[in-house]
Amino acid sequence: MACGFRRCIASQLSRVLDLPPENLIKSISAIPVSKKEEIADFQLSVDSLLENRNEHSRSDNQVQAKRLAEKLKCDTVVSEIITGPGTINFKINREVLTKAVLQQVVEDGSKYGLKSELFSGLPQRKIIVEFSSPNVAKKFHVGHLRSTIIGNFIANLKEALGHQVTRINYLGDWGMQFGLLGTGFQLFGYEEKLQSNPLQHLFEVYVQVNKEAADDKNIAKLAREFFQRLELGDMQALSLWQRFRDLSIKEYSQIYKRLGIYFDEYSGESFYHKKSQEVLKLLDSKGLLQKTIKGTAVVDLSGNGDPSSICTVMRSDGTSLYATRDLAAAIDRMDRYNFDTMIYVADKGQQKHFQQLFQMLKIMGYDWAERCQHVPFGVVQGMKTRRGDVTFLEDVLNEIRLKMLQNMASIKTTKELENPQETAERVGLAALIIQDFRGLLLSDYQFSWDRVFQSRGDTGVFLQYTHARLHSLEETFGCGYLNDFNTACLQEPQSVSVLQHLLRFDEVLYRSSQDLQPRHIVSYMLTLSHLAAVAHKTLQIKDSPPEVAGARLHLFKAVRYVLANGMKLLGITPVCRM
């Protein structure tokens, strides 16, 4: 595996440079596959070894690279050492490379790439990931899809690296909107409609009451009073709110099941409306709470009255706010979980909120505020159903599943599927996730139905198709061939390109673990699928001598394993037929 080869190279370099091998391993990187020519496998940038980089010109680096390369020798692992512009490139003995990579993929299984020395010495941490967090009593909007799939990816990756991960869904289940909704339901709600289609009916009520409140000040007053009753623990108001919450979670659970996502804890702002009063007392005792002329309570984070640094923590009627409840939630989670890191996955529009939240925790004396991290993401533009309706996630999932079923119906193998609906759902989700994860999370992107359904090119459908195709190869030819293989039978350029790419998987996982961006894994997997497609065309199994067929089948099996591993990390369930 890559780390084994890195260690061999690092050991030789350490003797020449008089540095510990551990200091050199991360400076040795696998070289991306080239379509034009066969290249070396690993590269060391001389720049990474020089302490005062600015003082060295490019020609100095070239000289240093040549001098260092002259002191290094080829051995049973490294077959060639070549210098490039300021780099030393190492080519691994082709038979050693083939045997080591294919054996490692099969032996490590789902842990391939994660056992790399790039992760050695990684301390096991307690990590909380808060994600999804839809607003109760509203249908699951596509706006919450990004937080849901990004948070799931981060939790999957952290878990795969051996950390103890707690997945929290922090529901928007408290606040003034419940004053409006409670009042609205009392005025415009119907029990039968609530029973038959709860969230659709509550959505309609919410739209109507907002419209009425804009013209009628009395309705706005009733809403404030309803929320105040909630905060004071009025049983009638709480009973209605509890029904809305239970019905919402029931419907959300069905959506999460379709997405293949689970949570360890369903929490919510409602858990902290009482504890938020303790937060206000603490802020007051530290002299941080200021009362305004309007009767609200604020915290001045700048200390000099800068309006942009004023955070409101209590309304004039004494009721709590989102920020206060978030403070109470963070303090409670530290008490219960003693976390090493807490990651909030929420859109970039909330960056200021989280900056203020972490700053407030810090001035309250909680040093662990530095362990809290906000992972922001951009907005999806244009994600509507084809009819242009208000976009609820369920409608989008249904539309994708239907379209995938239609596409699959034209392929004869679909008739053999045990559960075509399930397969269509999984392929559709892969399409949705890959389109979302291809770019920087912080970037906004334009949703495209046409791109979602493409079966060729850099799409989720193409990934699923590649996995299913490789699985089919094993089913067709696997029985007699998958015992042992001859490495000498895998020296064609197409085989070597695939092996070189498999070698890089640990580096890609490492990069994603550092910046929490799924795009590195997506890009890697799409390239792997394209390389596999080229290899599949040129490296025939049928009618090849048994020894050659067996070796090629091993190669394709390794590709399928790594594809499946990467897909699962991204939150995609691989399909075996489509």
Side-chain angles (χ1 to χ4, degrees):
M1 191 182 155
C3 65
F5 296 134
R6 276 196 204 91
R7 180 161 280 285
C8 287
I9 296 166
S11 295
Q12 196 178 157
L13 282 165
S14 77
R15 288 193 289 273
V16 172
L17 296 167
D18 197 23
L19 288 168
E22 281 70 26
N23 293 16
L24 298 164
I25 281 170
K26 286 179 185 173
S27 300
I28 301 162
S29 56
I31 301 172
V33 173
S34 166
K35 289 180 183 177
K36 296 174 186 173
E37 57 186 346
E38 190 183 326
I39 49 167
D41 304 297
F42 290 97
Q43 186 174 79
L44 172 77
S45 169
V46 172
D47 225 19
S48 67
L49 301 177
L50 302 173
E51 285 180 22
N52 303 311
R53 293 176 197 179
N54 298 336
E55 294 174 17
H56 296 270
S57 67
R58 198 171 277 186
S59 57
D60 282 343
N61 285 353
Q62 194 68 25
V63 171
Q64 295 272 11
K66 283 191 173 175
R67 278 185 193 155
L68 183 53
E70 282 165 8
K71 296 175 185 176
L72 302 171
K73 292 176 183 174
C74 295
D75 52 27
T76 53
V77 174
V78 178
S79 62
E80 202 176 337
I81 300 169
I82 321 121
T83 57
T87 61
I88 303 171
N89 302 318
F90 301 87
K91 188 174 179 180
I92 303 298
N93 174 306
R94 287 291 166 251
E95 288 203 25
V96 172
L97 173 81
T98 307
K99 190 166 189 178
V101 171
L102 297 188
Q103 273 186 354
Q104 199 79 52
V105 173
V106 175
E107 279 174 24
D108 288 352
S110 63
K111 289 288 179 188
Y112 177 71
L114 296 162
K115 290 184 173 181
S116 164
E117 286 210 4
L118 292 176
F119 297 110
S120 69
L122 184 76
Q124 303 308 290
R125 301 288 192 199
K126 289 179 188 171
I127 295 172
I128 289 176
V129 186
E130 180 196 295
F131 64 105
S132 193
S133 308
N135 295 315
V136 161
K138 290 182 181 177
K139 281 180 82 72
F140 201 110
H141 194 271
V142 290
H144 289 285
L145 175 66
R146 288 207 88 185
S147 171
T148 307
I149 59 177
I150 293 165
N152 186 52
F153 158 71
I154 291 170
N156 287 346
L157 182 61
K158 294 289 186 186
E159 223 159 51
L161 289 169
H163 299 298
Q164 187 182 323
V165 178
T166 303
R167 301 158 186 252
I168 296 181
N169 195 345
Y170 184 64
L171 301 168
D173 64 354
W174 204 252
M176 190 51 77
Q177 74 267 30
F178 287 97
L180 275 166
L181 192 63
T183 302
F185 189 75
Q186 287 172 342
L187 293 171
F188 316 116
Y190 292 96
E191 189 58 38
E192 322 76 85
K193 287 186 178 180
L194 187 67
Q195 292 292 342
S196 60
N197 195 348
L199 295 198
Q200 183 61 39
H201 181 51
L202 290 176
F203 170 70
E204 289 159 2
V205 166
Y206 191 69
V207 169
Q208 191 175 352
V209 75
N210 265 296
K211 198 175 169 185
E212 299 286 338
D215 302 324
D216 187 343
K217 286 184 180 177
N218 190 48
I219 288 182
K221 181 172 173 279
L222 288 170
R224 282 194 299 274
E225 286 170 359
F226 188 94
F227 180 53
Q228 213 165 359
R229 280 163 51 208
L230 269 180
E231 288 249 304
L232 292 168
D234 177 82
M235 293 310 291
Q236 194 182 353
L238 279 171
S239 172
L240 190 59
W241 166 83
Q242 189 69 51
R243 280 194 73 202
F244 295 164
R245 190 181 194 276
D246 293 345
L247 288 166
S248 301
I249 290 176
K250 189 178 177 185
E251 195 159 316
Y252 296 157
S253 297
Q254 291 165 359
I255 294 280
Y256 292 130
K257 191 177 180 184
R258 287 181 74 172
L259 293 171
I261 287 169
Y262 72 92
F263 294 93
D264 298 299
E265 181 182 302
Y266 275 91
S267 179
E269 293 180 62
S270 61
F271 286 48
Y272 300 106
H273 75 93
K274 284 181 183 170
K275 288 188 178 179
S276 63
Q277 296 305 315
E278 294 168 25
V279 168
L280 292 170
K281 282 177 191 169
L282 186 58
L283 286 166
D284 198 22
S285 70
K286 289 181 177 284
L288 299 167
L289 207 60
Q290 298 174 17
K291 280 280 177 74
T292 66
I293 302 165
K294 293 177 183 175
T296 58
V298 299
V299 176
D300 177 9
L301 294 167
S302 67
N304 58 21
D306 177 2
S308 65
S309 297
I310 301 284
C311 185
T312 307
V313 290
M314 188 184 78
R315 288 192 180 86
S316 56
D317 61 4
T319 54
S320 62
L321 281 149
Y322 182 57
T324 337
R325 296 188 289 269
D326 266 11
L327 285 168
I331 295 163
D332 175 61
R333 288 172 191 171
M334 177 47 83
D335 288 344
R336 287 190 296 127
Y337 292 107
N338 191 27
F339 59 79
D340 296 296
T341 307
M342 178 155 63
I343 298 167
Y344 295 86
V345 183
D347 71 77
K348 62 183 178 184
Q350 296 202 53
Q351 277 178 306
K352 186 179 177 182
H353 165 75
F354 284 108
Q355 281 167 6
Q356 291 190 334
L357 176 71
F358 303 155
Q359 210 177 331
M360 266 195 285
L361 285 167
K362 209 166 182 180
I363 63 172
M364 287 168 79
Y366 297 114
D367 294 341
W368 49 260
E370 291 176 359
R371 303 183 206 173
C372 299
Q373 178 186 357
H374 172 215
V375 174
F377 55 84
V379 179
V380 187
Q381 295 155 337
M383 193 190 253
K384 292 183 175 176
T385 59
R386 294 202 162 191
R387 297 185 306 278
D389 302 338
V390 173
T391 323
F392 298 123
L393 184 58
E394 189 178 15
D395 299 328
V396 171
L397 294 179
N398 290 344
E399 190 154 342
I400 287 179
R401 182 173 62 190
L402 181 65
K403 180 68 177 170
M404 290 299 172
L405 275 170
Q406 289 168 354
N407 289 357
M408 285 158 51
S410 59
I411 305 165
K412 62 177 182 178
T413 52
T414 306
K415 293 167 190 170
E416 301 164 22
L417 295 175
E418 282 178 28
N419 192 337
Q421 292 259 354
E422 187 180 82
T423 301
E425 183 103 303
R426 287 175 178 175
V427 174
L429 272 175
L432 210 56
I433 289 169
I434 295 300
Q435 182 172 190
D436 195 288
F437 283 178
R438 281 188 62 197
L440 267 171
L441 293 181
L442 202 54
S443 303
D444 299 341
Y445 78 90
Q446 191 68 36
F447 179 79
S448 163
W449 280 107
D450 292 336
R451 200 161 61 238
V452 162
F453 296 131
Q454 278 173 6
S455 57
R456 295 179 183 276
D458 292 344
T459 65
V461 181
F462 176 56
L463 275 188
Q464 288 283 32
Y465 172 72
T466 305
H467 184 272
R469 196 180 191 191
L470 295 174
H471 188 269
S472 172
L473 274 182
E474 286 171 48
E475 280 193 325
T476 309
F477 301 106
C479 301
Y481 291 134
L482 282 171
N483 297 323
D484 200 7
F485 66 97
N486 183 350
T487 53
C489 297
L490 287 175
Q491 302 309 311
E492 307 89 346
Q494 296 87 350
S495 299
V496 172
S497 290
V498 169
L499 290 161
Q500 284 179 314
H501 197 61
L502 291 174
L503 200 60
R504 292 185 63 234
F505 190 49
D506 62 345
E507 263 181 37
V508 172
L509 294 177
Y510 182 74
R511 201 173 307 154
S512 280
S513 75
Q514 294 298 294
D515 64 9
L516 303 182
Q517 296 283 333
R519 67 194 175 107
H520 309 303
I521 297 173
V522 169
S523 174
Y524 173 89
M525 308 258 287
L526 290 166
T527 301
L528 182 59
S529 294
H530 286 297
L531 290 170
V534 171
H536 186 258
K537 272 183 193 171
T538 49
L539 307 175
Q540 297 294 319
I541 292 176
K542 193 179 179 183
D543 302 327
S544 292
E547 200 175 34
V548 174
R552 289 174 179 176
L553 204 57
H554 264 86
L555 180 71
F556 290 127
K557 185 180 182 180
V559 171
R560 186 180 71 78
Y561 272 26
V562 175
L563 266 183
N565 290 352
M567 285 162 90
K568 287 171 188 172
L569 283 175
L570 296 172
I572 297 168
T573 304
V575 300
C576 295
R577 286 196 181 98
M578 64 179 277

